[in-house]
Amino acid sequence: MNNSVTLKDIAKALNLSISTISKSLNDSHEISTDTKKLVLDYAQKHHYLPNRMAKGLKEGKSRSIGVVVCSLENNFAAQMLDGIDSASTDKSYQIIIMQSKESQKQERACIELLYAGGVDGILISPACETVDFSYLQSLQDSGLPVVLFDRLSDEIETHKVGADNFKGAYDATVHLIKNGYKSIAHLNTNTILNIATERLNGYKQALEEYKLPYRADFLRSCDYTDTKKLNADLEESIKYYMSLKKRPDAILTSTDQISTRCLALLNKLGYKIPEDIALIGFTNTDLADAFNPPLTTVHQPAFEIGQLAASKLISLIEKKSQEPEYETILLDTTIQVRASTRARK
Amino acid sequence: MNNSVTLKDIAKALNLSISTISKSLNDSHEISTDTKKLVLDYAQKHHYLPNRMAKGLKEGKSRSIGVVVCSLENNFAAQMLDGIDSASTDKSYQIIIMQSKESQKQERACIELLYAGGVDGILISPACETVDFSYLQSLQDSGLPVVLFDRLSDEIETHKVGADNFKGAYDATVHLIKNGYKSIAHLNTNTILNIATERLNGYKQALEEYKLPYRADFLRSCDYTDTKKLNADLEESIKYYMSLKKRPDAILTSTDQISTRCLALLNKLGYKIPEDIALIGFTNTDLADAFNPPLTTVHQPAFEIGQLAASKLISLIEKKSQEPEYETILLDTTIQVRASTRARK
DNA sequence: CTGTTAGCGCGTTCAA
DNA sequence: TTGAACGCGCTAACAG
């Protein structure tokens, strides 16, 4: 730690007791205006800053919250982190960010570190590998507030904040249908994440409502844990689609990476978008309009998800007394129409 | 804080003294193997984790380092953060990330918060607004290690780790020249950041070596603090270039945002790349091959910059004794050739 | 109004 | 080999 000035130093310098200094700095009513001013001036002048660790130790809380995401490099995660940071800073909480790198084991390590670090609560978007929430559950049972965001799971009961993935996929599929596409494929992840099944269900629901058949061979899952594997899976899937007798005329992709890689691969394989095949994808990249062609996207309110999740966690932290009514909040997605889904003639 | 098991709890449960427990857990030689085993087993079973704040308070250090970047959402920053996280985790340091949002005022607030939080050192990539390094300097003088990364400044003397921007711009310009481009414009930021001038100098150097004239009207600076302003400036610059009697046949762009936005704008304005105008840009996006056309980029070793900067800081933290020889390390950039700079016929 | 005291969880003397 | 006592910087209960 740094050798900053402490209460003791000020006390000595001003010939007052430590507690008088403490009270002055905390603007206690039981201190005279004169001494207060004296202390405050001295503190200001010597750049006094309360030691966070001492305060935390004393008060039994650290005013810090732990955040676990799959990866910092993930643009979507970064947008949510920005929202989390915004809400936390507003309420003067510090955030400690950890990466699970989609590994359940590493995620567990992150949580332990955060717990040991004395965080007042945990915000987590689980690794796609994660199936076991018992550790998190036990922490919660022992009094540590936990809030899930983005990737929600039924395995743990708490506040959850995410996007309305069902509706997003539904809207995307309807958008394609209304633009004249009738054979719509769906590229998803191979994970057991809820967001994957919800998106699949939204897609199915739209097909059903518009009396289009659901074809099992139009649904492909790609390995999400490894980028190389994902690319390989994607390329194989695209080739497979295009080799079908009745091949799809559009694809709905379900994650950031799948959407952008799919577009790049279609280009690489020489297919014209949307003439040969249209594409709409879940992604929050702000580069969609630089793509070839500009990509129609399903945009998720990432910043807001982070912000809301952090607010929920903080309110949980600050009024632990009441038994909370846990709620699941789904924020609306929006379709951003661009050239990759131009109306079919 | 969380109600985890403490040394006291273990002591009570095992009918031993607190210090015996502490020593056992720290594998002190003055404790019998039997008691050690007893304590260790109990600790394991009850998930004992030392309280970070208590330990930090006691030892006068927190094993945490503060990191200040412009924004989490910035993909390039995220890649560096990933590297920082990697190196820090290896040496079991925790990182606390703060965003300056390119504001000097907010940056100052971040640093104060980190300092008060008891970080053992600070890693910072200054906001593009920042001109005054005196506060940082004073912290360093008072014993807090500071390391600069990516955006280096001469205003403070310490370890600095960044990319070789001069060489990157030089290589990029030479690449254009060798592919037949002779009228090369340069779009840069309006900041006083060193990286901006270094890139400009690399560009100039290449022109000079290849006996191409440097034309002042080919150099344009864009406002970097605000996205909307940046877009407007960029569009105006492009239109300006294209209105010139002798218009450029290629552009070298100098930051992530400028590169990608410039490409999108050229497309929007209906120019063919590289037929009407070629484009090469500094950016680390992994989506360059999905662009229209795939963008030739100057790639910076972001992860490695972060990793190295963190290592340097940690070594500074751990052997404060010696007066360190501060060094500036510049890592090599690489040109990733794609269609946007196809050889001119 | 101000000062004394105790204790948050931990590591580290020094005694036993 | 074990334990008692102290202090890191801070707040709060209680005296004066």
Side-chain angles (χ1 to χ4, degrees):
Chain A
M1 245 232 326
N2 37 59
N3 48 353
S4 57
V5 38
T6 70
L7 290 187
K8 200 201 240 173
D9 298 333
I10 304 183
K12 202 176 294 175
L14 263 41
N15 241 322
L16 287 167
S17 85
I18 297 184
S19 69
T20 305
I21 311 298
S22 172
K23 284 171 189 163
S24 303
L25 258 19
N26 290 316
D27 202 25
S28 162
H29 44 265
E30 46 178 321
I31 299 287
S32 75
T33 331
D34 288 355
T35 23
K36 248 185 215 171
K37 184 168 172 3
L38 188 70
V39 173
L40 248 62
D41 283 355
Y42 186 92
Q44 197 108 42
K45 194 171 162 197
H46 292 261
H47 301 111
Y48 169 78
L49 290 169
N51 181 310
R52 201 177 176 107
M53 287 189 295
K55 204 166 175 168
L57 183 59
K58 175 66 192 166
E59 297 186 337
K61 52 184 57 186
S62 59
R63 278 201 100 77
S64 70
I65 67 190
V67 186
V68 185
V69 292
C70 57
S71 169
L72 276 166
E73 261 202 272
N74 182 313
N75 185 245
F76 183 63
Q79 291 178 22
M80 292 191 295
L81 286 173
D82 197 16
I84 291 171
D85 185 54
S86 155
S88 310
T89 304
D90 280 357
K91 308 235 168 116
S92 35
Y93 277 77
Q94 216 171 52
I95 63 174
I96 296 166
I97 302 169
M98 301 245 155
Q99 313 187 66
S100 69
K101 296 286 178 185
E102 305 291 15
S103 144
Q104 169 152 250
K105 197 176 150 207
Q106 195 165 332
E107 179 176 282
R108 165 73 184 245
C110 293
I111 299 173
E112 281 184 0
L113 237 42
L114 290 171
Y115 184 55
V119 294
D120 297 338
I122 289 184
L123 274 174
I124 183 168
S125 176
C128 64
E129 242 187 56
T130 302
V131 286
D132 182 14
F133 285 80
S134 58
Y135 181 58
L136 214 51
Q137 184 66 257
S138 73
L139 286 187
Q140 186 176 241
D141 292 344
S142 82
L144 186 74
V146 173
V147 168
L148 255 58
F149 66 100
D150 182 36
R151 300 175 177 177
L152 316 182
S153 164
D154 298 328
E155 298 297 310
I156 182 169
E157 203 176 325
T158 183
H159 283 319
K160 299 167 194 172
V161 183
D164 192 339
N165 292 296
F166 177 90
K167 184 164 168 301
Y170 173 86
D171 287 347
T173 312
V174 169
H175 166 78
L176 287 172
I177 296 172
K178 291 204 169 157
N179 278 279
Y181 299 96
K182 294 200 166 64
S183 307
I184 301 166
H186 182 39
L187 268 170
N188 210 321
T189 62
N190 65 343
T191 61
I192 44 86
L193 291 174
N194 276 20
I195 51 174
T197 48
E198 279 161 21
R199 286 170 189 176
L200 174 60
N201 290 338
Y203 159 80
K204 280 183 179 170
Q205 169 87 13
L207 292 185
E208 198 181 315
E209 278 185 21
Y210 284 82
K211 315 257 183 262
L212 290 176
Y214 166 71
R215 291 176 44 180
D217 58 345
F218 273 13
L219 176 66
R220 303 278 292 191
S221 304
C222 304
D223 192 321
Y224 202 63
T225 43
D226 175 57
T227 309
K228 270 186 192 157
K229 191 76 175 57
L230 176 63
N231 253 304
D233 278 14
L234 275 175
E235 183 155 359
E236 199 231 303
S237 296
I238 293 172
K239 284 180 177 163
Y240 168 78
Y241 283 148
M242 299 317 249
S243 73
L244 291 175
K245 249 179 276 180
K246 289 190 176 182
R247 67 192 219 183
D249 55 15
I251 305 179
L252 164 62
T253 50
S254 76
T255 76
D256 244 282
Q257 285 204 55
I258 294 184
S259 300
T260 52
R261 295 325 303 158
C262 183
L263 181 135
L265 281 168
L266 284 172
N267 278 326
K268 179 185 149 199
L269 296 174
Y271 294 108
K272 283 246 170 206
I273 306 170
E275 291 78 6
D276 294 333
I277 189 153
L279 182 63
I280 184 171
F282 276 83
T283 168
N284 267 35
T285 180
D286 50 0
L287 303 176
D289 64 343
F291 289 167
N292 180 28
L295 178 65
T296 299
T297 60
V298 182
H299 183 270
Q300 302 163 259
F303 185 89
E304 289 76 12
I305 290 176
Q307 222 175 10
L308 193 55
S311 302
K312 283 285 167 193
L313 181 69
I314 291 172
S315 71
L316 228 43
I317 290 171
E318 296 189 343
K319 39 182 164 168
K320 271 190 183 174
S321 47
Q322 296 191 13
E323 266 312 292
E325 277 276 320
Y326 289 132
E327 50 181 339
T328 296
I329 304 176
L330 298 183
L331 301 182
D332 247 14
T333 58
T334 44
I335 307 286
Q336 300 189 336
V337 181
R338 298 195 185 84
S340 72
T341 57
R342 240 188 339 253
R344 199 180 186 81
K345 286 161 199 165
Chain B
M1 245 231 326
N2 38 59
N3 49 352
S4 58
V5 38
T6 71
L7 290 187
K8 199 201 239 174
D9 299 333
I10 305 184
K12 201 176 294 176
L14 263 41
N15 241 320
L16 287 167
S17 83
I18 296 183
S19 68
T20 305
I21 310 298
S22 171
K23 285 172 187 162
S24 302
L25 258 20
N26 289 316
D27 202 24
S28 162
H29 43 262
E30 46 177 319
I31 299 287
S32 75
T33 330
D34 288 355
T35 19
K36 247 185 216 171
K37 187 171 172 358
L38 189 70
V39 173
L40 250 61
D41 283 355
Y42 186 93
Q44 197 108 43
K45 195 171 162 196
H46 292 260
H47 302 110
Y48 170 78
L49 290 169
N51 180 309
R52 200 177 178 109
M53 287 188 297
K55 202 167 176 169
L57 184 58
K58 175 69 192 167
E59 297 184 340
K61 51 184 59 186
S62 60
R63 279 201 98 75
S64 70
I65 67 191
V67 186
V68 185
V69 292
C70 57
S71 168
L72 278 166
E73 261 202 273
N74 182 313
N75 186 243
F76 182 64
Q79 291 178 22
M80 294 191 294
L81 287 173
D82 197 16
I84 291 171
D85 184 54
S86 156
S88 311
T89 304
D90 280 357
K91 308 233 166 119
S92 36
Y93 276 78
Q94 214 170 55
I95 63 174
I96 296 166
I97 304 168
M98 301 244 155
Q99 312 186 66
S100 70
K101 296 285 178 184
E102 305 291 14
S103 145
Q104 168 152 254
K105 197 178 150 207
Q106 195 165 333
E107 178 177 280
R108 164 74 183 244
C110 293
I111 298 173
E112 281 184 0
L113 237 40
L114 290 170
Y115 183 57
V119 295
D120 297 338
I122 289 184
L123 276 174
I124 182 167
S125 176
C128 63
E129 242 187 57
T130 302
V131 286
D132 182 14
F133 284 81
S134 58
Y135 181 58
L136 215 49
Q137 183 65 260
S138 73
L139 287 187
Q140 185 177 241
D141 293 343
S142 81
L144 186 74
V146 173
V147 169
L148 254 59
F149 67 101
D150 182 37
R151 299 174 177 179
L152 316 183
S153 164
D154 299 328
E155 299 296 311
I156 182 168
E157 202 176 325
T158 183
H159 284 319
K160 299 165 193 172
V161 183
D164 193 339
N165 293 296
F166 178 90
K167 185 164 170 298
Y170 173 86
D171 288 348
T173 311
V174 169
H175 166 78
L176 287 172
I177 297 172
K178 291 205 168 157
N179 278 278
Y181 298 95
K182 294 199 166 66
S183 308
I184 301 166
H186 181 39
L187 269 172
N188 210 320
T189 62
N190 67 342
T191 63
I192 44 87
L193 290 174
N194 276 20
I195 52 175
T197 47
E198 279 161 20
R199 286 171 188 175
L200 174 61
N201 290 338
Y203 159 79
K204 281 183 179 169
Q205 170 86 13
L207 292 184
E208 197 180 317
E209 277 184 24
Y210 285 82
K211 315 255 184 264
L212 291 176
Y214 166 72
R215 292 175 44 180
D217 58 345
F218 274 12
L219 176 66
R220 301 278 292 192
S221 304
C222 304
D223 193 320
Y224 201 64
T225 42
D226 175 56
T227 309
K228 268 186 193 159
K229 191 76 175 56
L230 177 62
N231 253 303
D233 278 14
L234 275 174
E235 183 154 357
E236 198 232 302
S237 296
I238 293 172
K239 284 180 176 162
Y240 168 78
Y241 282 148
M242 299 319 247
S243 74
L244 290 175
K245 251 180 274 180
K246 290 190 175 182
R247 66 192 218 183
D249 54 16
I251 306 179
L252 164 62
T253 49
S254 76
T255 75
D256 244 281
Q257 286 203 57
I258 294 184
S259 300
T260 51
R261 294 325 303 159
C262 183
L263 182 135
L265 282 168
L266 284 172
N267 278 325
K268 178 186 149 197
L269 297 174
Y271 294 108
K272 282 247 170 205
I273 309 170
E275 291 77 6
D276 295 332
I277 190 152
L279 184 62
I280 184 170
F282 276 82
T283 168
N284 267 35
T285 179
D286 52 358
L287 302 176
D289 64 343
F291 289 167
N292 179 30
L295 178 66
T296 299
T297 60
V298 183
H299 183 269
Q300 301 164 261
F303 186 89
E304 289 76 13
I305 290 175
Q307 222 176 8
L308 192 56
S311 303
K312 284 285 167 194
L313 181 68
I314 291 172
S315 72
L316 228 45
I317 291 171
E318 296 189 342
K319 38 182 164 166
K320 271 191 182 171
S321 47
Q322 296 190 15
E323 268 310 292
E325 278 277 319
Y326 289 131
E327 49 182 340
T328 297
I329 305 176
L330 299 184
L331 301 182
D332 247 15
T333 58
T334 44
I335 307 285
Q336 301 189 335
V337 181
R338 298 196 185 82
S340 73
T341 58
R342 241 191 335 255
R344 199 179 186 81
K345 285 161 200 165

